[in-house]
Amino acid sequence: MIQMKNFKLLLMGHLLFMTIGVLAQQTGKNRLYKTESDSLMIAYSKTTNLVFPFAIKSVDKGSPDILVQKAKGLENILQVKAAQKGFFQTNLTVVTADGKLYSFVLDYNEDFPQLNLTLNKTKPDGQEIYFSDEIINDQDIEEYSKLALYDKNKLRGQRKSNYDIDFRLNGIFIRDEVMYYRIKVTNNSKINYEIDQLRFFIRDTKKIKRTASQEIEITPVYILNDIDKIQAETENIFVFALPKFTIPEKKYLAIQLMEKNGGRHLEEHVKNTKLVQVTILPKL
């Protein structure tokens, strides 16, 4: 009887140990979270835009046959397209600022790719587009350009006149990382002036013999009152929004106005001393 009793106790202890082990395994399994992968069709000739609810912090692509980039100036939009037609199935992993992991299985489909996909919009009244700190958005640039247009501060002594065309830089303004150049063009002639180009260059003051002259073009990010023709005996005031820059010593800013199908070309030179007269625009 004593042996039978000991056997029952031993059996119960073994069963209890096994039960605890099973529960521990199940508890351990419950701590493992599975991230589901979304299927995504992309193309070679079309771009797919993925809009995330938070800023993108990390991107990993499974194959060099895929091209990815964050939309310029934006933090939560990822642009994806195929670098190779008919690529083998691959994957894409994205981590956002809220710590969430997104996984995609990518397949090639030139005819019916998914072009725009908004993921897990958790904030119904929140902002959908997140701008990078490096650049302000286009709407703000337009508003600051208008402030520069109507600002009463004027820059003196920056004028070029020829062929009855008066070409004048009469204001330099700045707000954050953008500079605003206000330029007035007056056509005093009786012939319309068609603008071929109005461009900005940083150039060397003097060209050293046997040395190539360095020229850097600065491209506007926005132009207010952008027209291609100035009617006879009329004027137009442009505001060019340019990425912030300074003019180094022994260099100057060349502002070049070229006439389309004509020869009435003008060029104005701005030295770095003029930047001292820059006006800071008030914050919107």
Side-chain angles (χ1 to χ4, degrees):
M1 290 291 293
I2 294 175
Q3 289 181 349
M4 180 62 70
K5 186 175 182 180
N6 289 339
F7 176 75
K8 289 181 178 179
L9 290 172
L10 183 63
L11 181 61
M12 290 175 63
H14 180 68
L15 292 172
L16 179 62
F17 178 77
M18 289 181 65
T19 301
I20 292 172
V22 171
L23 289 173
Q25 289 180 359
Q26 290 178 344
T27 303
K29 288 180 180 179
N30 290 337
R31 289 177 181 173
L32 297 176
Y33 297 94
K34 183 179 180 182
T35 301
E36 297 293 336
S37 296
D38 292 321
S39 179
L40 187 64
M41 300 291 183
I42 66 172
Y44 178 80
S45 61
K46 303 178 184 71
T47 298
T48 295
N49 299 290
L50 304 178
V51 183
F52 294 89
F54 289 88
I56 298 163
K57 290 299 181 183
S58 174
V59 178
D60 182 79
K61 57 180 184 176
S63 167
D65 293 337
I66 306 302
L67 299 175
V68 298
Q69 68 174 17
K70 282 200 283 188
K72 185 177 180 181
L74 302 175
E75 290 295 310
N76 69 314
I77 298 180
L78 189 68
Q79 296 176 322
V80 186
K81 69 187 305 183
Q84 179 69 37
K85 293 182 178 180
F87 63 82
F88 290 108
Q89 185 182 81
T90 184
N91 73 309
L92 175 70
T93 303
V94 179
V95 178
T96 51
D98 60 335
K100 189 165 184 180
L101 175 71
Y102 295 84
S103 181
F104 304 90
V105 175
L106 305 184
D107 287 290
Y108 183 78
N109 190 323
E110 189 65 32
D111 296 322
F112 302 102
Q114 293 166 263
L115 298 182
N116 298 292
L117 182 63
T118 301
L119 294 120
N120 297 346
K121 185 179 177 183
T122 56
K123 298 181 291 183
D125 297 323
Q127 179 177 334
E128 287 194 15
I129 306 300
Y130 296 87
F131 292 96
S132 167
D133 292 335
E134 298 175 358
I135 188 168
I136 59 177
N137 64 67
D138 290 346
Q139 184 176 354
D140 284 349
I141 291 177
E142 183 178 350
E143 293 303 316
Y144 282 124
S145 296
K146 292 176 181 177
L147 289 181
L149 177 67
Y150 297 110
D151 194 285
K152 294 182 179 179
N153 289 301
K154 292 186 177 181
L155 190 68
R156 307 287 181 183
Q158 284 299 149
R159 176 190 175 203
K160 189 72 175 179
S161 184
N162 212 347
Y163 315 108
D164 287 330
I165 306 297
D166 189 74
F167 182 41
R168 186 190 303 261
L169 170 64
N170 70 356
I172 303 176
F173 307 88
I174 189 169
R175 184 73 231 180
D176 299 322
E177 301 301 308
V178 182
M179 301 183 77
Y180 301 85
Y181 278 65
R182 186 175 64 197
I183 295 175
K184 181 179 179 181
V185 181
T186 304
N187 182 3
N188 295 310
S189 74
K190 299 184 182 302
I191 303 172
N192 295 340
Y193 188 95
E194 293 191 54
I195 298 174
D196 181 42
Q197 53 185 271
L198 205 166
R199 301 165 71 185
F200 298 78
F201 300 92
I202 297 290
R203 290 178 178 159
D204 294 327
T205 302
K206 293 182 179 180
K207 182 178 179 181
I208 303 174
K209 291 182 179 180
R210 299 181 182 178
T211 303
S213 178
Q214 187 178 20
E215 182 176 87
I216 301 171
E217 183 171 3
I218 302 172
T219 304
V221 295
Y222 176 76
I223 305 173
L224 181 67
N225 292 341
D226 187 17
I227 62 174
D228 57 12
K229 180 190 293 185
I230 300 176
Q231 302 288 342
E233 300 181 327
T234 63
E235 66 180 33
N236 187 65
I237 300 177
F238 302 86
V239 176
F240 292 83
L242 305 169
K244 184 182 71 177
F245 67 93
T246 56
I247 304 171
E249 290 289 340
K250 299 182 179 179
K251 294 182 183 291
Y252 64 91
L253 173 67
I255 308 176
Q256 187 181 79
L257 176 66
M258 306 287 286
E259 184 182 20
K260 185 177 181 181
N261 299 324
R264 295 180 291 177
H265 308 318
L266 293 93
E267 185 171 297
E268 190 171 338
H269 295 176
V270 183
K271 296 183 178 180
N272 55 12
T273 53
K274 285 296 179 182
L275 296 186
V276 179
Q277 302 178 41
V278 66
T279 300
I280 300 175
L281 293 171
K283 192 171 183 62
L284 293 174

